[in-house]
Each structure stands twice: as C-alpha cells, then as structure tokens.
C-alpha cells in the first residue's frame, strides 16, 4: 500500500544524544521503487536517520511512516517488509556463503524448499555461485559486502536500507555492489542508502544532503546542478601556482578550486561574457564544466562564501 | 635536472611464499604530490613501510632523501612525516598536548616547537582549538591537528594515508589546498588511497594491483590514454582487466 503523500514519510524527526543534536527537524518524503541516497560527511547524522527509519532507534520527537504504517503501532509487519544492512553487520565467518544465507533465511521463518530456491536466485544475481562453498571469513571485501546485502534480502523485503555499504570498498567491488543495488531496485524494491562519497550521487535517483543533523536539500539527481548559481571554467596547466594567482586576481571570479593539474574558476552566470574576456587575456584555452555533487554540497554548506 | 626524493628500483618484498611487492620501480620528484592507488591487499602499505625504513626489502634498491634503505634507515626517519585518516591522535589529550607529544617523539626542542606552532598556524589556523580535547573536535579539525603533528619536525617527505575520506567537503577542499601549498614550498607528498576522489588530487600516481604497478602517469594522461571520464573508470578498466573470477 502506498501512503497518500509518499511511500516513506519522515516527519519532523529530532534526536539528541546527551545534549548533542544528532538530527534536527528532519522531514523527508521518499518515493517507492527509487534509490535514495543520504549523503553527508562523518557525523552528519546518516546512521541515526537510517536507524530511525528502520525502527532500531526511537526519535525524541517526530514519526516515521512506511506505507502509512508507524513503527510504534505495527512493528511486526514493518519488520517483515524491511531489510537493513548496518555498517557493522557480521556474517558467520566459519559458515560458508550458502550456510550464511540459509541461517538468515531460517531466522525469517522461511521454509526449506522455497528457501533453497531463493538462495539459488540470490547467488545468481550477485554472481556468487562459484563461491557458494567458501567460508564467509575467506571472501574478499567486495564479496563479503555482497553477501551481507543478500542476507538482508532473503525475506524479499519491499524496502532495503543500507548504511554506508561502500565504505572502505575498492572501486571494482563498489561497481559490482552498485550493479547489485540497481538490480534490486529494478525488481521493484525501494532502496535507501547512505554514503560520504559524493561521486556516488550519479548512481542514485534522488539525494538527501545531510550536514550537522539537518537536511540541506532533497532533490532528484538530474536536477542537482540547478541548485548551483555559478558557472565553472576549467583550465589545465602544469604551473598551477602561477595560474591560480592570476585567476584569483580576476574581478568576477568568486572562488577557485584545484584538482591535480586542473584549476576550476567559479563565477556568477550573469558575468559570463566578462569572464570569457578576462580569461582569454591570461590563458589559451579553458572548458566549461558542470558542477559536481561536491560543488553543490560545498555551496549549500556555505563553502563558497568568503573565499 | 630533476631532484628525486624517492627512488625505487626493482623492489621486491616476499612474506614466505607470498610476494606482496613484485618488482616495482618508480621515482618521486621533490615537491610532487604522488599517489599510490590500489585496493586492499594491492601492496600499498608494504611499499610505504619499506620507504619508511620499517620493513627491509627482500631485494631491490630504495633511496629516500638520498639515504639508502635498509642500510641508512635510521637517518630516513627524521626526514619523513606520516598522517593517517585513522588519525593517530590521542583523543583524551588536548590538541596542544598531542602536538607536544609528537614534538617530543621527533626530538623537536622547546624553542623550535613554539616557532613551529606559529609557522604551522599561519596556514593551518588551528590556534582556536589548541586547548580543546581531541575527542570534542569535528573530523575536519582532527585532520588538521593530525597533519600538524606530522609536520612539526619539517619533514622533506610526507605520507598521507586516506587523508580525507569521510571528511566534509569544505574541510576536504581546504585540506588539499594546504597540501598544495606544502608541495609548492618543496615538500614532497605521497598519498596512499583507494578513494578515487583523492587520487584526482595527485600530480602523478601509480595504480598497484597484486604487488605490481599497472600504470604510472598523471590522472589526466591516464584518462586520456584509456579514453575514460573518471579515475574510477580508469581503475576499473586497468584492475578489472587483470581480475580473475573467484
């Protein structure tokens, strides 16, 4: 059942730990069948938010509704419809891949026959069939991560929540994990996950930027760059220091940022013509580039003011 | 012409039957920001430990700041600084007490310590936090204090291990700005990470996999030569090509 305003409603959540605010007045409306990413640095409140959504933690005030149901009223049916992969999820390292899945399936009360079928299907989609007899403790980091996700899918939840699934995971395993997450979404499952890695935004449908316990913005990924008021010129150079000095002297440049041997210059849209003229005086060529998710986050947290 | 701070030639490290570092060669120029990129188990840490003189190589040549390793390892130690994302700070000491501790460990005398604090504060701006307990500091400030601890003895070469993962983007940008200043002033930086957004900040980098070097170039050249948009794609295409189904 879909609620009248959204599949998952987070309403005015506030949570403190010993007087320290973890979340303040957080309200979100999450859509069914989408991948929503909660993005913010360490300490932003990501884990607390996910734990409150999954009913593991109670907020000081506010409430969460999943498909119109509240944790305080109907936790039994919510639990059956929800899978949560916490950061410190532990597999049984001396059990094999399929034994782990079998164990978690039994916890959810699954019957032998259907459980075996489901395990086959899950091993197949995660490309873990060849590793089925290996002990979980002897898997690579990326495989372990995938097995954790499968363990939380065994009861076929309609909502899957993952807390920083790609933390400490190398790019190959991360790519594989994202393929798995995308597949899960395509099966109709609603996915909510957290990350501190701004580069992962492009893989999500919607993002929630979180900083110091507050929601900066909730927006569809495709509309993200609309939040950014500046245009960006990127200049490649082998002499970063010299160039930066010259660029920062230009009147209409509001900020600069150096990545490797590329200097990025930020300027208000309305000054584009002037900036093009000014830049042509000091450099041979430059490229207009789109803002990254990190640019938008830095802007929303005030990082471009006073630079 | 170019002054090399690190020279590595045919370096090998074996642990029993396992070859952790398999015949690698590279040089790092003075003032360069050089990245050693790879997944867990690629051989990054073993390589760094050999460069620091903590771990003797099985074979090959390593020269750091002009000193031969392992023969002159003891001389190398005063030339290098090390900072980890796991921040080797004592949480129940203040920022200043941490700095004093590291200064004492590196043999920095009292007078030099105070002038160093002044010098470092000019670009790290940590003074308002000196008397705060480290445990109470935001991550971005812990990172600056940890960097300061690694810089107090004016090392020629600084190792940064995943320095900015999980840090808020504003702090991360100012951190890399500081690193660029250090490199501009002639200090050499070696970054180890598997986070590709950190890889982008390097002048040149080497991608390691199973103890070998798969590529060594600037991030832009790697992207251009492999026709990829991002370092993540570069990594996946290089390392993915050599992965076996397990």
């Amino acid at each position: 059942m879909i609620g009248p305003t959204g599949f998952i409603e987070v309403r005015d959540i506030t949570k403190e730990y010993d007087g320290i605010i973890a979340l303040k007045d957080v309200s979100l409306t999450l859509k069914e069948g989408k991948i929503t990413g909660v993005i913010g640095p360490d300490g932003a409140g990501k884990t607390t938010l996910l734990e409150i959504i999954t009913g593991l933690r109670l907020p000081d005030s506010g409430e969460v509704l999943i498909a119109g149901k509240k944790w305080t009223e109907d936790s039994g049916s919510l639990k059956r419809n929800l899978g949560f992969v916490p950061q410190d999820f532990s597999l049984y390292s001396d059990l094999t891949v399929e034994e782990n899945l079998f164990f978690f399936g039994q916890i959810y009360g699954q019957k032998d026959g259907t459980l075996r079928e489901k395990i086959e299907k899950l091993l197949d989609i995660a490309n873990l069939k060849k590793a089925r007899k290996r002990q979980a403790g002897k898997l690579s980091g990326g495989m372990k991560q995938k097995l954790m996700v499968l363990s939380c899918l065994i009861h076929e939840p309609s909502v899957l929540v993952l807390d920083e699934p790609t933390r400490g995971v190398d790019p190959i395993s991360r790519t594989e994990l994202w393929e798995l997450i995308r597949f899960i979404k395509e099966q109709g499952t609603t996915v909510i996950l957290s990350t501190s890695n701004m580069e992962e935004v492009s893989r999500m449908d919607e993002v929630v930027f979180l900083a110091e316990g507050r929601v900066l913005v909730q927006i569809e990924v495709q509309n993200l760059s609309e939040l950014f008021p500046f245009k960006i010129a990127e200049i490649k150079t082998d002499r970063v220091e010299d160039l930066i000095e010259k660029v920062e002297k230009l009147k209409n440049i509001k900020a600069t940022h150096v990545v490797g041997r590329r200097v990025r210059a930020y300027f208000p849209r309305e000054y584009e013509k002037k900036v093009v003229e000014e830049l042509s005086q000091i450099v041979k060529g430059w490229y207009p580039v789109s803002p990254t998710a990190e640019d938008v986050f830095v802007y929303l947290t005030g990082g471009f003011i006073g630079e | 012409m170019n002054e090399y701070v690190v020279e590595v030639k045919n370096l090998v490290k074996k642990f029993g039957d396992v070859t952790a570092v398999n015949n690698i060669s590279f040089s790092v120029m003075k003032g360069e920001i050089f990245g050693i990129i790879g997944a867990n188990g690629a051989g990054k840490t073993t390589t760094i430990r050999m460069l620091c003189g903590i771990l003797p190589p099985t074979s090959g040549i390593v020269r750091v700041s002009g000193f031969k390793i392992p023969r002159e390892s003891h001389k190398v130690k005063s030339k290098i600084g090390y900072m980890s994302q796991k921040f080797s700070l004592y949480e129940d000491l203040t920022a200043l007490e941490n700095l004093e501790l590291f200064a004492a460990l590196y043999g920095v005398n009292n007078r030099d310590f105070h002038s160093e604090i002044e010098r470092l504060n000019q670009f790290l701006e940590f003074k308002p936090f000196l008397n705060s307990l480290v445990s109470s500091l935001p991550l971005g400030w812990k990172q600056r204090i940890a960097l300061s601890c690694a810089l107090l003895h004016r090392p020629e070469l600084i190792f940064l291990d995943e320095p900015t993962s999980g840090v808020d983007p504003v702090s991360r940008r100012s951190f890399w700005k500081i690193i660029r200043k250090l490199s501009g002033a002639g200090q050499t930086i070696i970054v180890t990470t598997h986070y590709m957004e950190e890889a982008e900040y390097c002048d040149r980098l080497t991608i390691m996999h199973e103890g070998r070097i798969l590529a060594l170039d600037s991030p832009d050249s790697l992207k251009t030569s492999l026709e990829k948009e991002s370092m993540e794609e570069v990594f996946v295409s290089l390392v993915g090509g050599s992965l076996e189904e397990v």
Side-chain angles (χ1 to χ4, degrees):
Chain A
M1 191 194 92
I2 302 170
T5 46
F7 187 60
I8 298 178
E9 287 276 321
V10 175
R11 292 181 183 161
D12 290 325
I13 294 284
T14 291
K15 179 75 186 174
E16 290 184 12
Y17 300 114
D18 298 328
I20 294 165
I21 292 169
L23 292 174
K24 179 79 180 160
D25 302 329
V26 170
S27 292
L28 299 167
T29 302
L30 307 182
K31 297 190 186 92
E32 189 173 22
K34 301 277 183 199
I35 300 175
T36 302
V38 178
I39 304 190
D42 291 358
K46 302 187 294 293
T47 300
T48 302
L49 176 59
L50 296 190
E51 286 178 348
I52 288 173
I53 290 176
T54 52
L56 283 174
R57 214 176 263 288
L58 283 175
D60 297 339
S61 60
E63 60 184 8
V64 174
L65 282 91
I66 300 178
K69 291 174 186 163
K70 289 183 194 176
W71 277 109
T72 42
E73 289 164 4
D74 202 354
S75 68
S77 80
L78 284 179
K79 275 182 196 162
R80 280 189 293 278
N81 276 303
L82 199 121
F84 181 44
V85 190
Q87 269 182 60
D88 51 1
F89 187 94
S90 38
L91 296 160
Y92 289 86
S93 57
D94 50 353
L95 294 185
T96 65
V97 168
E98 57 184 4
E99 284 167 347
N100 267 286
L101 291 174
F102 201 76
F103 173 79
F104 287 106
Q106 283 180 320
I107 284 184
Y108 279 107
Q110 308 265 319
K111 295 279 176 298
D112 251 36
T114 51
L115 182 53
R116 288 194 188 281
E117 265 173 46
K118 278 183 198 164
I119 289 173
E120 285 311 305
K121 210 176 97 186
L122 288 173
L123 289 176
D124 193 38
I125 61 171
N127 204 11
L128 281 177
K129 274 198 159 168
K130 285 184 185 163
R132 64 193 308 150
K133 298 285 181 203
R134 274 170 73 177
Q135 285 186 335
K138 291 185 177 156
L139 297 175
S140 70
M143 292 167 96
K144 252 185 222 168
Q145 206 71 8
K146 286 203 285 189
L147 182 55
M148 288 177 202
V149 176
L150 296 188
S151 303
C152 300
L153 281 176
I154 200 104
H155 59 299
E156 298 176 322
S158 55
V159 180
L160 181 68
V161 182
L162 308 100
D163 192 9
E164 299 215 40
T166 56
R167 165 157 252 161
V169 172
D170 67 78
I172 304 275
S173 310
R174 193 188 317 173
T175 304
E176 281 186 17
L177 195 59
W178 270 107
E179 278 168 16
L180 178 60
I181 291 169
R182 187 141 288 278
F183 181 87
I184 293 163
K185 175 212 151 159
E186 279 160 12
Q187 307 301 300
T189 308
T190 304
V191 179
I192 303 162
L193 57 85
S194 63
T195 179
S196 62
N197 186 344
M198 302 281 156
E199 286 190 339
E200 293 183 39
V201 167
S202 62
R203 305 181 192 255
M204 303 161 185
D205 299 312
E206 201 159 271
V207 285
V208 174
F209 278 168
L210 200 68
E212 295 177 355
R214 288 171 169 84
V215 173
L216 299 173
V217 73
Q218 179 186 2
I219 191 167
E220 281 182 44
V221 170
Q222 55 185 7
N223 300 331
L224 197 61
S225 59
E226 287 171 16
L227 296 173
F228 199 67
F230 304 119
K231 286 205 149 194
I232 310 167
E234 187 173 279
I235 310 141
K236 287 187 185 178
T237 177
D238 282 330
R239 303 174 67 88
V240 169
E241 295 306 319
D242 295 347
L243 183 66
I244 267 280
E245 206 176 301
K246 286 182 194 161
V247 171
E248 282 179 349
K249 277 185 190 149
L250 300 182
K251 207 170 69 212
N252 297 308
I253 300 295
K254 290 294 164 215
T256 56
H257 176 51
V258 181
V259 183
R261 289 174 183 172
R262 285 170 288 138
V263 173
R264 297 174 131 226
Y266 299 81
F267 56 90
R269 291 168 201 277
E270 59 269 29
Y271 298 150
E272 186 168 3
K273 233 177 140 182
K274 284 181 194 161
V275 168
V276 170
E277 265 172 41
E278 288 177 341
L279 278 176
S280 67
Q281 308 276 326
I282 55 168
V283 292
K284 282 196 199 113
W286 56 276
Y287 313 84
V289 293
S290 304
T292 59
E294 189 182 278
D295 281 325
V296 178
F297 196 98
V298 168
Y299 170 70
L300 292 174
T301 49
F304 279 103
I305 299 164
E307 282 223 22
Chain B
M1 270 287 285
N2 285 323
E3 191 183 333
Y4 290 115
V5 174
V6 174
E7 289 177 88
V8 172
K9 214 171 170 193
N10 304 119
L11 181 62
V12 175
K13 180 67 195 182
K14 291 183 179 173
F15 297 105
D17 294 339
V18 179
T19 306
V21 170
N22 194 350
N23 197 22
I24 63 170
S25 302
F26 63 88
S27 303
V28 183
M29 280 177 277
K30 183 174 159 63
E32 197 171 20
I33 304 177
F34 187 86
I36 300 179
I37 314 298
N40 297 328
K44 303 191 296 284
T45 308
T46 306
T47 304
I48 297 302
R49 292 179 69 194
M50 287 192 282
L51 295 185
C52 292
I54 305 167
L55 192 68
T58 304
S59 63
I61 297 167
V62 180
R63 220 183 266 273
V64 174
S65 290
F67 298 117
K68 264 189 172 175
I69 285 178
R71 211 183 59 210
E72 298 173 298
S73 290
H74 57 290
K75 291 182 184 165
V76 166
K77 285 171 190 164
S78 64
K79 303 284 182 194
I80 57 179
Y82 179 87
M83 179 209 152
S84 160
Q85 162 63 16
K86 283 136 212 153
F87 307 126
S88 36
L89 296 175
Y90 291 88
E91 295 263 323
D92 48 357
L93 296 182
T94 66
L96 182 63
E97 287 166 342
N98 269 281
L99 286 161
E100 285 169 345
L101 174 68
F102 279 88
L105 290 173
Y106 279 115
V108 177
N109 70 37
N110 215 8
R111 205 182 59 206
D112 287 350
F113 175 71
H114 291 290
S115 64
E116 273 310 290
I117 292 287
E118 290 302 325
R119 188 183 70 89
L120 292 172
N121 183 58
Q122 281 174 17
F123 58 96
L124 284 157
E125 296 166 342
F126 49 57
K127 270 201 169 166
F129 297 94
L130 279 182
N131 292 314
S132 307
L133 280 182
V134 166
S135 58
S136 72
L137 292 178
L139 202 58
W141 282 102
K142 283 186 188 171
Q143 175 198 46
R144 285 189 182 209
I145 301 296
L147 180 63
S148 309
C149 289
L151 294 176
L152 276 170
H153 60 295
R154 295 206 176 204
E156 291 176 13
L157 175 63
I158 304 149
F159 292 98
L160 305 173
D161 183 17
E162 292 180 10
T164 55
S165 64
V167 174
D168 74 89
V170 178
S171 302
R172 169 190 290 165
R173 287 190 173 187
S174 47
F175 181 87
W176 283 104
K177 206 167 171 178
I178 291 163
I179 295 301
R180 218 187 61 237
K181 276 187 193 161
L182 294 175
S183 106
Q187 276 174 305
T188 307
I189 319 285
I190 294 184
V191 182
T192 52
T193 189
H194 62 229
Y195 291 101
M196 292 304 123
E197 66 270 28
E198 296 190 321
E200 299 271 3
Y201 285 97
C202 298
D203 294 322
R204 284 192 311 146
L205 51 83
T206 155
I207 293 181
M208 281 189 79
H209 180 61
E210 292 178 347
R212 293 173 186 274
I213 287 180
L214 298 183
L216 199 170
D217 214 328
S218 72
D220 281 341
S221 303
L222 287 172
K223 282 186 256 181
T224 310
S225 65
L226 291 165
E227 296 177 5
K228 299 291 176 197
E229 293 273 314
S230 67
M231 275 310 296
E232 176 122 356
E233 290 172 43
V234 166
F235 187 95
V236 170
S237 85
L238 282 170
V239 177
S242 61
L243 275 186
E244 288 167 37
E245 176 65 21
V246 267

